[in-house]
Amino acid sequence: MIEARGLTKVYGDKTAVAGVDFTVQPGRVTGFLGPNGAGKSTTMRMIMGLDRPTSGTVTVDGVPYARHAAPLRDVGALLDAKAVHTSRSAYNHLLAMAATHGIPKQRVLDVIEMTGLGEVARKKVGGFSLGMGQRLGIAAALLGDPRTVILDEPVNGLDPEGVVWVRNLVKYLASEGRTVFLSSHLMSEMAVTADHLIVIGRGRIIADAPIQDIITGKDRGRVRVRTDQAAELTRLLTADGATVDGQENELLEVTGLEPRRIARTALEHGVMIYELTPLRASLEEAYMELTKDEVEYHSLITTGDTAPAQAGGN
């Protein structure tokens, strides 16, 4: 279990994390989302003892990371897959890590096989592709068979097979009762991987709930309606309290009325409907709605010959 209480980090005049409270429970995959500059990486670094909180606390199984006697056996993390000596082979990199904790050589071989690195294990890491580097980082995180696993953007650079492998891996780890904390910018992947979400914006927690609650909480009950009497149906539904947006000549998006009510109103007034489809919000839509006022770095898109202007950050 990961617990943060009043966790705060200030760099000069900038507050990166502002007194956050959250708990990452074992036995489920908890996703960690937020725009660039929101405080995700800083929070993960504080969990791992790489940054010291300005105030507040964060513990793993009740103990700060730095006080774990055998941290590789308690907490496995992938925060930066590039943090490897490029002249060392994957096998020797893992073997050196194992030696610090008395982890047997067989475990090194096991995680190499588990992560699909068998064919390149004796090659220098400097020649690895981005995806192979990610697999090595995951192998390092799993080396001590830890109770808590923290992965920052683990599918970055992986091919579709690798993405599915990571998805199944983290679900399996959670099913064993481990604590799994996962960040990703891929909403489609998070939607099918995470059980619970913590969303951070401008250093503050803006959502902490089961993923389905976050999605349905932002679903305003939209219905797509197709009819060749769009103007008449718009008038009728608006009078009934709905909000109606015209998408095309014959296509409407209705908010605020159940599909059954829309159908009944149309029938009573002789309006023919060719389509009546309830629309469900996606995780991406829910996330964009949650964070629309929390984005610190915006891209400015222009038209014509002027190139897009952009401000960005991590």
Side-chain angles (χ1 to χ4, degrees):
M1 182 184 297
I2 302 170
E3 294 182 279
R5 295 292 176 263
L7 188 63
T8 301
K9 183 62 180 180
V10 179
Y11 298 101
D13 60 354
K14 178 179 174 58
T15 300
V17 178
V20 302
D21 297 295
F22 64 83
T23 300
V24 182
Q25 298 282 358
R28 67 189 186 192
V29 179
T30 299
F32 194 33
L33 300 177
N36 287 340
K40 296 192 308 297
S41 294
T42 300
T43 300
M44 286 184 153
R45 288 179 60 83
M46 286 192 286
I47 295 171
M48 296 301 299
L50 298 173
D51 280 344
R52 179 176 297 178
T54 302
S55 61
T57 62
V58 60
T59 60
V60 180
D61 293 333
V63 181
Y65 179 83
R67 287 173 48 194
H68 281 269
L72 281 182
R73 296 186 182 276
D74 297 320
V75 187
L78 166 62
L79 299 187
D80 182 4
K82 296 180 180 179
V84 181
H85 197 300
T86 56
S87 295
R88 186 176 289 171
S89 70
Y91 173 76
N92 285 333
H93 170 68
L94 294 171
L95 194 63
M97 291 182 65
T100 66
H101 283 62
I103 296 171
K105 185 182 296 185
Q106 185 57 50
R107 178 60 182 175
V108 173
L109 298 174
D110 289 345
V111 295
I112 286 174
E113 184 67 25
M114 183 190 310
T115 54
L117 291 170
E119 294 184 3
V120 298
R122 304 287 178 169
K123 295 182 179 180
K124 292 183 179 180
V125 175
F128 276 18
S129 66
L130 178 59
M132 283 299 180
Q134 290 294 107
R135 287 176 181 268
L136 178 57
I138 294 171
L142 299 179
L143 186 60
D145 199 19
R147 294 189 298 273
T148 298
V149 179
I150 300 171
L151 303 175
D152 188 8
E153 300 289 348
V155 300
N156 188 26
L158 293 179
D159 59 17
E161 182 277 333
V163 171
V164 173
W165 169 72
V166 170
R167 182 195 309 163
N168 292 334
L169 172 67
V170 297
K171 285 178 171 288
Y172 173 73
L173 293 172
S175 73
E176 291 189 314
R178 303 179 201 242
T179 301
V180 181
F181 197 36
L182 173 73
S183 83
S184 177
H185 282 107
L186 296 179
M187 294 296 131
S188 59
E189 188 56 31
M190 191 67 83
V192 296
T193 303
D195 305 302
H196 192 95
L197 287 182
I198 296 173
V199 184
I200 189 170
R202 294 186 184 270
R204 292 178 169 82
I205 302 299
I206 55 178
D208 185 348
I211 188 168
Q212 198 55 48
D213 288 0
I214 288 177
I215 293 173
T216 56
K218 294 301 176 182
D219 194 337
R220 300 174 300 156
R222 297 171 297 138
V223 182
R224 183 170 61 225
V225 183
R226 195 178 299 272
T227 174
D228 58 7
Q229 297 172 264
E232 175 65 8
L233 187 59
T234 296
R235 183 186 67 79
L236 293 170
L237 298 180
T238 301
D240 208 8
T243 299
V244 182
D245 293 323
Q247 305 295 306
E248 299 172 5
N249 289 338
E250 297 185 356
L251 184 64
L252 304 174
E253 187 173 294
V254 182
T255 304
L257 288 180
E258 293 285 334
R260 186 185 297 272
R261 180 74 170 270
I262 296 170
R264 182 181 297 116
T265 298
L267 178 64
E268 289 173 352
H269 293 83
V271 175
M272 178 68 74
I273 292 177
Y274 300 102
E275 180 183 354
L276 188 65
T277 307
L279 300 176
R280 295 291 176 252
S282 67
L283 175 58
E284 181 174 298
E285 290 172 320
Y287 170 78
M288 296 299 288
E289 177 69 19
L290 277 170
T291 61
K292 64 182 180 181
D293 298 322
E294 308 296 338
V295 178
E296 185 172 0
Y297 302 96
H298 296 270
S299 296
L300 305 178
I301 300 175
T302 62
T303 59
D305 297 329
T306 305
Q310 178 172 301
N314 296 312

